[in-house]
Amino acid sequence: MKRVLGNGLIVTMNQNREVFYGSVLIKDEVIERVIKHDPFENLKDLKNGIGEFDELIDCTGQLILPGLIQTHTHLTQTLFKGLGDDLQLMDWLQTKIWPSEAAHTAETNYISSKVGIGELLKGGTTTIVNMESVNHTESSFEALKEMGIRAISGKCMMDYNEGVPKGLIESLEVSLSESERLLKKWHQTHNGLIEYALAPRFVVSCSDELLKASVKMSRTYGVRLHTHASENKGEIAIVRRRTGMENIDYLKRIGFLGKHVILAHCIHLNDLEVQHLIDSETVIAHCPSSNMKLASGFAPVHAMLQRGAKVTLGADGSPCNNELNIFMEMRMAALIHKGNQLDSTIMNAKSVFEMATIKAAEALGKESEIGSVVEGKHADLITLRIDKLESMMVPLNAENVYAQIVYNASSRDVCHTLVNGALLVTHGQLVNVSEADLYLDAKKAIINFIKDPK
Ligand SMILES: [Zn+2]
């Protein structure tokens, strides 16, 4: 199958960050050619210049971009959007999120995942690093497989802490054996689109033994580790009391840092902790909307980037955001640090767009596969409308196009989304799923949930 995304402005994110008018020829799962040409008035002229293909998607008036990458989500929480707004983190977790996660059935978790993935794909996100709940992770993997997004996902692990509902606490043995079972079943499946990541929730809710065993298992199977770290001052105080160490120092001590580790948030860090993250090449998932909504604080993102840290972006879960919208996260990442540091020159639009594309791909060790519009890479691509009344009117070029994307565009401007060459969103609508049916299923699930909390 050969498909052409034709006649758009291509923001390649290749090594030279080239931006030019042209077309992208996709053969099956791969970008076969990226063709530079002047914009065509008449698409018939385009057809003559490109050879044989099966389908032409007209991208006139659109940007052609690499699919966007989010390194921290919780699909299991999508249905809980609106259940707990304007609360403190521990209150929010203990009274709203954990009881809701504990009440999930396989069916409601499946629906929650599907709705979340639908929102992500419609908003141009093609790769996620996702943390599930403790139970029913299998159903989320089924949803990932069906929907076709690229995902690194895993079951949440918790074996320690007061305040966690019974239904979410497992013994060390059960947590590890279920994680291992899921890992063996799902890692590197579905054409390589699905990978497993071991996901202890955070130090506060995990025993030392669980965290150390996760490190060991990740080495045994060569899978990633994904957790939360240093999101909240209360959290790091608990870790200090328990371990006598700062959170990142503790993680370093037990071997829980490295290229294969993704830490969400990393807000409250001292200088040495930042250095540990940089030295170990640990991936940081910055979640600016969540950090603002839960009043967690300002992660030292600009300083960390300046020092060479691998900082990427994520929406976190729906209830602390309340969107899964990478355009919003890019805008927030660009704006909040300017305001916080009274410096409008930091976190420029281009560097923020890199965080959601090629830099995220590099951080995940996938730069030869995704993150830019380059021949030979997987065809994870999106197109974005720039022909609306709300769009920037000045002609776009390699300098100002990033401002259009980061400061002006919204997820609702995404027109087409392809993952691994499969067209999953066209003209803003999911291709393989009835959105109306899924909406009704989700409404029913959450209404039963509220009526009948377990
Ligand atoms: Zn999170």
Side-chain angles (χ1 to χ4, degrees), residues 72-74 77 92 131 201 226-228 231 264-265 287 290 316-317 320:
H72 185 63
T73 61
H74 298 267
Q77 296 174 4
W92 176 80
M131 182 183 290
R201 190 161 210 135
H226 177 204
T227 192
H228 301 90
E231 177 178 5
H265 306 305
C287 305
S290 166
D316 208 352
C320 62

Side-chain angles (χ1 to χ4, degrees), residues 204-241:
V204 171
S205 65
C206 299
S207 66
D208 291 6
E209 291 74 23
L210 179 65
L211 292 164
K212 287 176 185 165
S214 302
V215 170
K216 198 169 157 208
M217 198 184 286
S218 85
R219 287 193 188 129
T220 305
Y221 291 100
V223 299
R224 289 168 215 277
L225 289 163
H226 177 204
T227 192
H228 301 90
S230 307
E231 177 178 5
N232 178 281
K233 284 195 171 166
E235 168 204 349
I236 59 171
I238 294 170
V239 176
R240 201 179 288 134
R241 268 204 306 278

Side-chain angles (χ1 to χ4, degrees), residues 410-427:
S410 94
S411 60
R412 292 173 182 90
D413 298 335
V414 173
C415 196
H416 304 289
T417 302
L418 296 96
V419 180
N420 222 25
L423 183 66
L424 301 181
V425 174
T426 189
H427 298 289

Side-chain angles (χ1 to χ4, degrees), residues 338-355:
K338 288 177 167 69
N340 185 42
Q341 300 195 22
L342 304 179
D343 185 350
S344 56
T345 67
I346 64 170
M347 303 297 288
N348 67 61
K350 185 177 181 180
S351 67
V352 171
F353 189 57
E354 287 174 341
M355 290 166 75

